[in-house]
Amino acid sequence: MPARILNGNRIRDQILLEVENEVETLAARGIRPGLAAVRVGDDPASEIYVRNKIKACEKVGIHSEHITPPAAVTTGELLELVDDLNHRDEIDGILVQLPLPDQVDAAKVLLAVSPQKDVDGFHPFNVGALVTKRPSPIPCTPAGLIQILKRSGISIAGKRAVIVGRSDIVGKPAAFLLLHENATVTICHSKTENLPAVAREADILVAAIGRPAFVTGDFIKPGATVLDVGINSLTDAEQVESICSGLPKKLERFRAKGSVLVGDVHPKDVAETAGAYTPVPGGVGPLTIAMLMVNTLQAARQRRAT
């Protein structure tokens, strides 16, 4: 039986429609949620990410501002900008697009964002709230993982979940969210001994290690649900041929565009071994922006005690 593909685009659209309806309800009371996106410099990938976030705001009716300080901006100047946004009543959410230039102390800038407006869920205050299961903005990608599972009818309670990757942005918060849903959770990383065998114990396997096609069939328990967080753009023909052999659509795209996206999971192996999985693209990625809209809406409601 072929593996079930978990369509992130469909789930994203469900969530955005729900947010749009709630934004309309708030608008009837004279309230419009607002999001400020700060992007420093001219990094093409960052520009695309922020543009997509602003586009989502427009779709659901959230006020948005795209602020673009020059690449030479100092830490002090960014701190002043964040402080101003913290005090603006029409702004409910602030996101600072990473990466920041080398001369900027990124940790200091992120820490300056008010916890109430930290829609990325990165502030230590909100991390602590997540760990202790208190209401707070939740990092968007891990929140999206939970939505994919729930809206796809995949049970979490009592299941073995293994996360490959221990980042503060995905791996660690995903572990706590799965724990809160009563999964038994293991976090793996580069120092984990016999990593494939540990991963193979998982009913729910989350790949968030940032290495293209790193998770092969040896990592996947037959019938497991595999959530692939990785987004890797491949441009080397030999590497593409090796990873995408037997996948004509990806090979055609590479030959036409000169690049192709793959996740952290080997695309052919997961299709042959998993019971259900998220594709790349079109899996986890769309949920990240959808959950940013959810966080902005919730920040607006909480700030106004609605």
Side-chain angles (χ1 to χ4, degrees):
M1 183 175 179
R4 176 185 173 194
I5 298 175
L6 305 177
N7 188 328
N9 291 322
R10 179 182 58 80
I11 297 170
R12 172 203 60 198
D13 292 344
Q14 290 175 355
I15 294 171
L16 291 180
L17 180 59
E18 293 165 7
V19 172
E20 183 178 359
N21 291 336
E22 290 198 49
V23 169
E24 288 178 358
T25 300
L26 288 180
R29 301 170 57 184
I31 299 170
R32 187 183 184 194
L35 175 68
V38 179
R39 177 179 62 85
V40 178
D42 300 311
D43 178 68
S46 293
E47 183 178 359
I48 292 170
Y49 292 147
V50 172
R51 185 167 69 239
N52 288 338
K53 292 168 184 177
I54 298 301
K55 185 177 179 180
C57 287
E58 293 171 355
K59 179 177 177 61
V60 300
I62 290 175
H63 165 70
S64 63
E65 297 184 16
H66 186 185
I67 303 167
T68 56
V73 71
T74 66
T75 300
E77 289 167 338
L78 271 184
L79 290 174
E80 289 180 8
L81 172 59
V82 169
D83 184 64
D84 176 65
L85 293 172
N86 283 338
H87 288 90
R88 287 179 54 189
D89 192 55
E90 72 275 22
I91 297 298
D92 298 291
I94 303 168
L95 70 87
V96 179
Q97 184 67 42
L98 300 176
L100 292 172
D102 291 342
Q103 79 275 7
V104 173
D105 187 335
K108 186 176 289 187
V109 172
L110 293 176
L111 191 62
V113 175
S114 166
Q116 289 73 34
K117 297 189 177 186
D118 166 39
V119 286
D120 276 326
F122 294 163
H123 194 284
F125 181 93
N126 292 325
V127 174
L130 168 62
V131 171
T132 54
K133 204 177 180 182
R134 288 174 167 80
S136 67
I138 298 170
C140 299
T141 299
L145 297 177
I146 300 299
Q147 289 298 314
I148 289 173
L149 293 170
K150 288 186 172 182
R151 291 174 186 255
S152 300
I154 296 170
S155 62
I156 304 174
K159 302 300 184 182
R160 284 293 305 270
V162 174
I163 300 169
V164 183
R166 54 179 169 180
S167 72
D168 293 337
I169 295 173
V170 178
K172 292 175 186 175
F176 283 107
L177 289 174
L178 288 163
L179 277 172
H180 296 333
E181 296 292 337
N182 297 311
T184 300
V185 181
T186 300
I187 300 179
C188 298
H189 44 78
S190 60
K191 303 299 183 184
T192 300
E193 294 185 0
N194 202 359
L195 175 54
V198 177
R200 208 162 47 240
E201 297 175 358
D203 303 301
I204 299 169
L205 178 61
V206 178
I209 202 165
R211 295 174 61 181
F214 177 81
V215 174
T216 60
D218 291 342
F219 290 67
I220 303 169
K221 175 182 178 180
T225 296
V226 181
L227 303 177
D228 191 349
V229 178
I231 301 178
N232 307 285
S233 180
L234 303 185
T235 58
D236 180 78
E238 185 175 345
Q239 186 181 30
V240 171
E241 291 287 343
S242 172
I243 292 174
C244 300
S245 174
L247 300 171
K249 289 184 179 180
K250 283 194 176 289
L251 291 173
E252 287 172 15
R253 181 171 182 83
F254 173 73
R255 289 163 188 155
K257 304 286 187 180
S259 66
V260 67
L261 291 178
V262 300
D264 291 351
V265 181
H266 195 288
K268 191 164 183 253
D269 288 5
V270 70
E272 293 175 348
T273 309
Y277 70 96
T278 57
V280 177
V284 175
L287 271 296
T288 298
I289 291 179
M291 299 315 297
L292 175 66
M293 299 300 105
V294 170
N295 282 352
T296 303
L297 172 66
Q298 292 179 342
R301 295 177 68 95
Q302 186 170 359
R303 289 185 62 238
R304 294 166 176 82
T306 58

